[in-house]
Amino acid sequence: MWAIGECASHDGESTGLVACTDRKLVVSDDARVLLGGVVVGDISLYSQLRPLLGRPLGADPSAFLAPEGGASPPSTDLPDDVVVCSCANVTAGTVREAVTEHGCRDVDAVKACTRAGSVCGSCVPMLTKLVNTSLQKAGVTVSTAMCEHVAMPRVELLATVRTSGLRTFTQIIAAHGTGRGCAVCRPVVASILSTLGVGHVLHPDQAALQDTNDHLMANLQKDGTYSVIPRMPGGEVTPEKLLVLAQVAQEFGLFTRVTGAQRIGMFGARQEQLPAIWRRLVDAGFESGQAYGKPLRAVKTCVGSTWCRFGVQDSSSMAVRMELRYRGLRAPHKFKVGVSGCARECAEARGKDVGVIATEKGWNVYVGGNGGFTPKHAQLLAEDLDGDRLVQVVDRFLALYIRRADRLQRTAPWVEDFPGGIDGLRAVVVDDAEGIGAELEAEAHVDRYVDEWRATLDDQDKLAAFTPYLNAPGSPDPDLAYVPLRGQAVPAATGQQGHPDIRVARTMKVQR
Ligand code: SF4
């Protein structure tokens, strides 16, 4: 028997410490049969794998552990006798029959016919997939509804909200949906409202729609504490600001490391400590690095022609220009940018959603790069652009992606699926074949940008969200435990004796 696990980072900064999503599968010795599993955070896999318990998985187990935002888990063709809905004891075969024999044409009809999904509802995602697959096999057009509450896909909803003037979830669902929303449509509406610049993520109309990380503007860690990652455009930081980071980390006992996105991350902050930590950082001139949620994360770069003997363009200044232009821009998924000062590609720009590489004549721009579970090299979109034209092309690309991508679709699969592929995309973005270039440019950058953390610190109502125990504000979680590691403190492993105060743990003698 084997246990295979994956701790998926939502911040994508190669910290190796973030674990918002935790997936473990227990499989037979030959890794073919599913014996059990644990999913924490994004639990969408549960409904897919639950019916397969005790049966062959039908794919490599590790393929089901893809981090959120990477490839989709493999689709599994369930045998007819597998129970899909354990509440109503409905099998996959019964669901298929509802489609093929009883004329059901959507999930609601199958629910009414079989009672599947009508009790606890946890099987509805699996049921939806099964119904849609059966409909497609029967040659029936499948609904593109986002979920059972919103009858249109994200792209259509964004366009509708943009033009309708609707600006709250309640207004949107009243006009274009039913019920009270779910874990699918609520974050999509939150993302759309953020994309359109409708208020702060913690505004009363939006706060309840956010995922955990957006809700506290920090990434949840495996021990229930949070990371603090300020923005550092171009990976640059002055000695004075570096000193502030050191002082804050020392005072709060935070584990400190350089992330893969060329900035400094601090780990182990308790929920109630976040405002005090960010007060110090904001006063020193830092702003939120938005290492949470689905906006621009960071623009990775190299020193370029400023310092490097091989550099042909000033990649650092271009990276800072782009980071300040696109910061705060929320998209269907997080996106990253890279800028290299020559073809040696030290910033690994072609692994980013937007990659820029300097040439003797200007800049080449690549799009659709991706790391993670299914790495993809970005594809060449345009060559030898001057700085302003480069920004114009990137503006258009990002705005088109935001307009036309599905929920949680990263740029790599979106570029691959674009009609005509990279050539079709080039025609729209570079050659303005659809005549929407100016519109896209107006939508891409965030001229209304405000730092979310600064705005929160100025608002007592928003700060109330950071009090975990209303009857004991300021009391830390008694279950926290830390042990020393290489001069800092980290969460104690199961069975390991730790100290509840991370500052004390840092100075403890290392146990051998
Ligand atoms: S990419 Fe080129 S300019 Fe940038 S650090 Fe590497 S060699 Fe130097």
Side-chain angles (χ1 to χ4, degrees):
M1 189 171 78
W2 292 89
I4 303 172
E6 176 75 40
C7 290
S9 161
H10 277 200
D11 79 353
E13 298 216 358
S14 306
T15 60
L17 293 169
V18 184
C20 304
T21 298
D22 194 359
R23 296 170 174 171
K24 286 187 175 61
L25 297 183
V26 182
V27 294
S28 57
D29 287 346
D30 62 1
R32 290 173 184 273
V33 177
L34 178 66
L35 301 178
V38 177
V39 285
V40 178
D42 177 1
I43 59 167
S44 54
L45 258 188
Y46 174 79
S47 60
Q48 182 181 354
L49 293 181
R50 172 68 183 81
L52 291 174
L53 200 60
R55 293 167 177 274
L57 268 171
D60 185 337
S62 61
F64 292 91
L65 302 171
E68 183 263 337
S72 300
S75 60
T76 44
D77 219 1
L78 295 176
D80 278 346
D81 63 331
V82 163
V83 175
V84 175
C85 171
S86 50
C87 299
N89 196 25
V90 179
T91 64
T94 306
V95 172
R96 291 191 179 104
E97 267 177 32
V99 173
T100 56
E101 307 294 324
H102 302 293
C104 296
R105 289 295 174 260
D106 57 32
V107 174
D108 284 342
V110 172
K111 277 183 177 179
C113 178
T114 65
R115 292 198 65 238
S118 57
V119 184
C120 80
S122 65
C123 66
V124 169
M126 183 69 219
L127 183 67
T128 304
K129 205 168 170 184
L130 191 56
V131 171
N132 288 347
T133 308
S134 303
L135 287 169
Q136 278 168 341
K137 284 182 179 168
V140 178
T141 305
V142 174
S143 163
T144 56
M146 185 187 306
C147 63
E148 60 184 308
H149 305 106
V150 179
M152 58 181 88
R154 175 200 170 271
V155 173
E156 218 175 294
L157 186 65
L158 170 65
T160 304
V161 174
R162 190 192 294 280
T163 54
S164 67
L166 301 174
R167 291 297 179 260
T168 68
F169 180 79
T170 308
Q171 291 172 349
I172 293 167
I173 210 80
H176 302 288
T178 57
R180 301 170 68 182
C182 64
V184 173
C185 61
R186 291 171 77 86
V188 171
V189 170
S191 167
I192 286 174
L193 293 176
S194 293
T195 296
L196 298 178
V198 183
H200 191 281
V201 289
L202 297 187
H203 187 278
D205 285 337
Q206 293 191 42
L209 307 177
Q210 308 295 344
D211 286 331
T212 308
N213 293 339
D214 284 278
H215 197 68
L216 291 178
M217 298 181 298
N219 275 327
L220 180 65
Q221 306 299 304
K222 63 188 285 185
D223 66 341
T225 61
Y226 291 84
S227 60
V228 173
I229 304 182
R231 187 175 301 288
M232 286 186 188
E236 296 174 0
V237 58
T238 63
E240 292 76 16
K241 289 172 88 170
L242 199 54
L243 195 56
V244 172
L245 291 180
Q247 289 167 342
V248 169
Q250 193 170 42
E251 185 177 324
F252 290 87
L254 305 178
F255 183 99
T256 307
R257 79 189 303 277
V258 176
T259 76
Q262 295 185 329
R263 40 198 192 175
I264 291 175
M266 294 178 283
F267 300 82
R270 301 195 308 267
Q271 181 176 340
E272 71 275 13
Q273 292 178 319
L274 290 170
I277 291 169
W278 276 104
R279 178 83 269 167
R280 296 277 298 278
L281 297 175
V282 167
D283 287 348
F286 286 106
E287 62 182 26
S288 172
Q290 292 189 309
Y292 47 85
K294 308 283 183 273
L296 167 75
R297 290 301 176 81
V299 182
K300 186 174 180 178
T301 188
C302 66
V303 291
S305 60
T306 310
W307 286 97
C308 181
R309 290 177 297 134
F310 304 109
V312 292
Q313 303 289 346
D314 182 358
S315 51
S316 291
S317 294
M318 179 54 76
V320 171
R321 180 178 175 182
M322 289 199 161
E323 184 147 354
L324 298 183
R325 186 171 184 82
Y326 304 121
R327 63 184 170 176
L329 184 63
R330 278 186 159 82
H333 213 303
K334 67 185 176 189
F335 64 97
K336 304 172 184 179
V337 179
V339 184
S340 283
C342 80
R344 288 171 179 78
E345 248 284 67
C346 294
E348 298 161 332
R350 289 195 63 195
K352 307 296 182 209
D353 299 272
V354 176
V356 177
I357 300 177
T359 69
E360 296 285 350
K361 298 178 187 168
W363 306 93
N364 287 354
V365 59
Y366 301 78
V367 293
N370 204 155
F373 192 73
T374 47
K376 286 255 187 306
H377 262 150
Q379 302 179 62
L380 181 64
L381 185 68
E383 291 179 275
D384 295 328
L385 307 176
D386 66 32
D388 290 342
R389 175 71 167 144
L390 168 69
V391 168
Q392 181 189 50
V393 166
V394 177
D395 274 3
R396 291 179 183 177
F397 169 76
L398 291 174
L400 194 67
Y401 165 61
I402 289 169
R403 272 191 183 193
R404 297 190 185 175
D406 201 359
R407 60 178 281 274
L408 297 180
Q409 187 178 28
R410 288 204 64 174
T411 60
W414 179 71
V415 169
E416 282 185 359
D417 290 348
F418 197 87
I422 190 69
D423 293 333
L425 185 62
R426 186 179 298 112
V428 178
V429 170
V430 181
D431 305 329
D432 200 11
E434 294 184 9
I436 56 172
E439 272 177 46
L440 295 175
E441 289 160 38
E443 292 169 12
H445 63 281
V446 188
D447 54 4
R448 57 187 174 274
Y449 169 81
V450 290
D451 173 26
E452 289 173 345
W453 261 109
R454 178 182 288 277
T456 300
L457 295 172
D458 294 340
D459 186 329
Q460 286 304 320
D461 289 339
K462 292 187 178 70
L463 287 175
F466 296 89
T467 304
Y469 304 115
L470 291 178
N471 58 350
S475 300
D477 182 341
D479 292 332
L480 294 177
Y482 297 93
V483 292
L485 181 72
R486 297 186 287 274
Q488 303 197 71
V490 296
T494 307
Q496 206 175 11
Q497 186 75 34
H499 196 283
D501 189 328
I502 193 171
R503 292 167 302 181
V504 176
R506 188 169 163 251
T507 59
M508 281 164 51
K509 202 170 170 202
V510 180
Q511 296 170 349
R512 304 236 175 236

